[in-house]
Amino acid sequence: QVQLVESGGGLVQPGGSLRLSCAASVSTFRIYAMGWFRQAPGKQRELVAIITSSGTINYANSVKGRFTISKDDAKNTVYLQMNSLTAGDEAVYYCYAALPTGYWGQGPQVTVSS
């Protein structure tokens, strides 16, 4: 069983920044891909950003140029730096890890409001 512990959600003003962290209970070298999905009320869960063990990265078009995903293998942790946040980014953000069996984190809430 793999556990994913997330942190970093919260309330931010439009245009602000937040950084999400997701620490895995296993070495990231065992994880094929790790990343973030988000789900807003009444909407389907969607991919935000994902990074593979080899370092290949994919972003949703809506976050390209604003969000950056990175990983620290020494800490078994993946980060999502979110800049220039808008109301459209407000959602529950779920960490995901594929081993390849998929595991999900609990999902911190990101609220964008003035």
Side-chain angles (χ1 to χ4, degrees):
Q1 187 74 10
V2 176
Q3 293 184 335
L4 302 174
V5 179
E6 302 142 316
S7 61
L11 172 65
V12 63
Q13 292 185 341
S17 299
L18 280 176
R19 189 176 81 154
L20 303 180
S21 301
C22 176
S25 61
V26 299
S27 169
T28 48
F29 290 111
R30 293 181 53 193
I31 300 174
Y32 172 72
M34 200 165 171
W36 297 89
F37 286 70
R38 68 186 180 187
Q39 188 167 19
K43 295 186 177 181
Q44 290 187 330
R45 192 172 296 189
E46 63 175 1
L47 172 69
V48 177
I50 197 159
I51 183 168
T52 69
S53 57
S54 63
T56 300
I57 292 173
N58 281 299
Y59 294 102
N61 287 334
S62 60
V63 307
K64 284 181 180 178
R66 301 188 298 122
F67 290 13
T68 302
I69 189 170
S70 61
K71 66 187 179 87
D72 184 337
D73 292 323
K75 296 181 179 180
N76 301 328
T77 299
V78 168
Y79 303 96
L80 184 68
Q81 177 66 42
M82 305 185 291
N83 298 328
S84 302
L85 285 160
T86 71
D89 298 313
E90 185 166 303
V92 176
Y93 282 70
Y94 296 94
C95 182
Y96 174 79
L99 271 73
T101 300
Y103 294 88
W104 294 94
Q106 293 298 310
Q109 172 72 43
V110 172
T111 302
V112 183
S113 176
S114 55

